[in-house]
Amino acid sequence: MLERIVERSVAWAIDHAKLVVALALALTVAAVLYTARTLTMDTDTARMINAELPWKRQMAHINAAFPQNVGLLVVMVDGENPDTAENAAAALFAKMQERTDLFATVRRADGGHFFDQYGMMLLPTKDLEQTSSSVIRAQGFVGSLAADPSLRGLFDVLSLAMEGVAQKATDFASLERPLSLISESMSSTLTGSEVPLCWRCLMVDRPVDPRELRKLILAQPKRDFQALQPGAKATAAVRDMVRELALDPNHGVTVRLTGQVPLNDEEFGTVAEGMGWALFLSIVLVLGLLFAALRSVRLIIACFGTLIVGLIWTFGFTALAIGSLNLVSIAFAVMFIGLSIDFGIQFGVRYGQERFIADDGSALPRTGRFMARPLTLAAIAIAAGFLSFLPTDYKGVSELGLIAAAGMAITLLLNLTLLPALLKLFPPKSQPLDMGFPWAEPVDAFLLRRRWLVLGSWAAIGVVGIFAALALRFDFNPLHLKDPKVESVASMVDLMKDPLRTPYNIEILTPGIGEAQALAEKLSKLREVNLVLTANSFVPKDQEAKLTIIQDLNDLVGLSLDPLDIAAPPTADEVRASLRKTAVKLREAVASSDIAQQLARLLDQAADSDDAFLQRLDRVLLSTLKPRLEALKTALTAKALTVETLPPEIRNDWIAADGQARVLVIPAGDSNDNAVLERFIAAVRTVAPEASGSAVQIYESGRAVARAFEIATLLALASMAVLLFLILRRMTDVLMVLVPLAAAALATAIICWLIGLQLNFANIIALPLLLGIGVAFNIYFVVNWRNGISGPLQTSTARGVLFSGLTTGSSFASLAVSGHLGTASMGIVLLTGIAMTLLSIFSLMPALLGPPPAASSVPATA
């Protein structure tokens, strides 16, 4: 029945070839126009997984309460010293705040007025006492500079200090560090760079905490989700600001962008670029293999033209049915080429064989009749594999399944109508050739003669493959899929080295601050937890003692920081005079000190320089002085603080408008280690089952995707088995199709285990897909075998399957060159799966099938 329908369809297409081609061309033009106008790119990854899952709803509640934490651009400002980092962050922050057209919110994560005022109070009492003592010792130095914040004021103070050393009133050892830092800054200025002097290092006798060298700015870009890179305008603006402010290594600053927005944008760019190259390589490889398979230029052009029309129609279907492509479904183009060309090759190879048998006008209808059942069954099997994605919670993949399944229906239709019409209008001129592999006769004989050895070998592979499959793990960390060379990824990995700044944390929403604090106390006792933060974390402890220390400090240095008179800016000549005077004092006071003598030489060089150099020197030595003095003055205004009196910029990050309070839990250990995160999440959930946050999101996303593909794989197997039974009508035939498929899958698991490849969000797509491809290839041989065709490796079917596998494999191999690690791993799994599928077909399948039921009725060349 099916054979007659297809044969008549092919005959009709041949008789009305011009009409068929004209209709196909018209529909193709319409699809191009419609797709160009309506198809968009949905780059919102939040919509990739079902929003109704419990952990997604929990995160949605947190995001609704604290919307300022959604869709962040993290600006990492690293400085050579604390002052450089703070000044650069403050300047860039001010610039970003002005761009309300690009940013919904901009805030400092670890700086700003609150930290200037209460930063000292948040120190342990002992550290605060040490800091206070350091500032008191520097009082004279600081007070003089507050009254004359210029190069003249700086070097007059140094000159006076050298007089004290000469008179034995001042210990030179206490001045060695300041002199050394000033000398380093002057040396850098003379060599062309401008790394500002660290006044925090001069005023506070305490080692620099590495966290002081890095400042973070958190911004919410206004994104365009119709663009491939939704946050591109905002990130480009930040880079322009960085250039405008000269925040570069020559000025002691490095600025990098990371966070959800740049990570996603650069991933989209990497994937799109990788897909572009993959598509190009796929087309080149497919054309080359088509020539080897079909041996006719006209036949190749007809097959390739049919493929392109099918691809365009599938794009049109996507625009009509869905309206957009996502990060996963965009992969369908490369997959379509690899899968669709199989139909063209099978039809073309069979057509070549029919021409070889009898080169008359009936070759095309005979080809249609012969290929009706295997092509239809192959299309249904592959579509069933893709449609198994639909009921899963992984929306990105379910859309890919719908698009690809439609693509299979489209390519089946075109290969049974448009392809015959094109071959009718442009028939091959080459001499008909035998499309089989006559040289494979001894191989067929060997596989039958050593049948049980072959079956035993594959049985052993299957046993090992079961253990290998059980050993495979799912890598749920999306950071491991991204290109490690791009800035956002490298920066995030660097940021995660600081446990307190890792983005992989847990958030919990509580009814109020009391409940939040009680929960924090319980969570802090867990060994898997490094730190728990609530609004209370920003209320200093031991306030009475600390306020006393700060008041004493204010009594001693407060007036020095706010002088009644400030000297007028000096002239260049006055600066030069101060430089020369200080050089003389250095040589007189400490002639034996290398540090003093080096600084004296540098001062002489500076005094002999032009005015432009003096201006640069002023920027290097004094640009961070005024902000540091202002921050110190602000710190001296600290007063008693409670949760209720926290300033809005802090309170709003931890207490929502309705009073709900946020608890942030930071993991102990390396948060980029999946095992660490799993233990962390499990431990926190024993105390707070409703826990959410980024750590839970990536972990649960991994579980959702793994479950989705478990369901997809089971559905694919079940649907294929039912379809095979309905069409083949024999359980034996069904097993003949599925057993080589299972063997190939287990062999693929062995290869993946040997090379250390883990399953992830990208490559797991390969599993149901490989089922469809494997079933399609196996069907061709089982149908031939049931029809009594002997010598399976000698037939034109073997040629078609081999070159279909090679073209499909080459298409998938092109994915492996992508810079996106997830896409590359998907290409590797697909290529490995195709290779193992071909190996099982050309070794296991003949041995498994054995002699056909009517081997003598049809020769191997059929």
Side-chain angles (χ1 to χ4, degrees), residues 508-529:
I508 305 162
L509 202 58
T510 62
I513 188 61
E515 292 85 350
Q517 193 57 31
L519 180 60
E521 291 174 3
K522 294 179 182 177
L523 291 169
S524 62
K525 297 175 182 177
L526 299 173
R527 64 178 183 179
E528 293 84 2
V529 170

Side-chain angles (χ1 to χ4, degrees), residues 19 39 125 153 160 176 178 287 297 310 350 357 425 477 538 598 625 635 639 723 744 761:
L19 176 62
L39 186 63
T125 304
L160 185 63
E176 281 187 310
L287 284 174
V297 173
R350 189 64 221 175
I357 295 170
L425 294 175
N477 191 336
F538 297 87
Q598 180 187 9
L625 173 62
K639 53 190 177 184
L723 286 169
F761 290 99

